[in-house]
Amino acid sequence: MDVLTRSSARGIGRSVARTVLAVAAVVGGSPAFADDSVNTGYFGGVAIMGYDTVAYFTAGKATKGSEKFSYEWLGTPWHFANAEHRDMFISEPLKYAPQYGGYCAGEVINGSVTVNIDPEAFKIIDGKLYLIYDKKHAEGFAAHAEDAVARADGNWPKVAADLEMDQYH
């Protein structure tokens, strides 16, 4: 069966995700995914509005995922275009998950978040996926990537703490 249900994935997914995050923090992993906040948008309750996070890396474009190939990670369903992408994500979620929990990287630079992202406005920089509010801002983010990423990484711990306290919803 290609679908991993909430009940079968919840225990495994949450414990694996928390372990992976803890190990990543200890060995110098990305501070940009240091908590378990996942942007699901205003409606739908699915990571990246149902887009396949692995496809950004393999196809270089935004590709809609399918409920048929779902996996729950960090308490949120993620959809994939096929079983192979789902399995790639399961084996290395931090490699494929968007930075800053999928919130707009451009807003994190300013110490805030916007839930409203355009799944087609993305950049992969140094092997990491950044989602942005719109394509024009994605180009600006990429044009100043070194400074933008440094500023956003510096702001993310406070933004993540604010998200944890539900300051933005």
Side-chain angles (χ1 to χ4, degrees), residues 17 26 68:
V26 169
K68 181 179 176 185

Side-chain angles (χ1 to χ4, degrees), residues 89-115:
F89 181 81
I90 290 170
S91 70
E92 296 183 272
L94 290 178
K95 176 179 178 177
Y96 299 108
Q99 300 300 290
Y100 320 121
Y103 290 94
C104 175
E107 279 299 308
V108 176
I109 288 171
N110 298 320
S112 185
V113 295
T114 182
V115 173

Side-chain angles (χ1 to χ4, degrees), residues 61-122:
K61 65 180 184 174
T63 304
K64 195 75 168 159
S66 168
E67 231 179 292
K68 181 179 176 185
F69 305 108
S70 291
Y71 177 68
E72 186 172 312
W73 185 61
L74 298 176
T76 303
W78 297 71
H79 291 175
F80 303 92
N82 55 54
E84 179 185 11
H85 284 189
R86 183 202 56 215
D87 294 345
M88 289 169 70
F89 181 81
I90 290 170
S91 70
E92 296 183 272
L94 290 178
K95 176 179 178 177
Y96 299 108
Q99 300 300 290
Y100 320 121
Y103 290 94
C104 175
E107 279 299 308
V108 176
I109 288 171
N110 298 320
S112 185
V113 295
T114 182
V115 173
N116 192 21
I117 54 104
D118 177 354
E120 297 199 15
F122 73 96

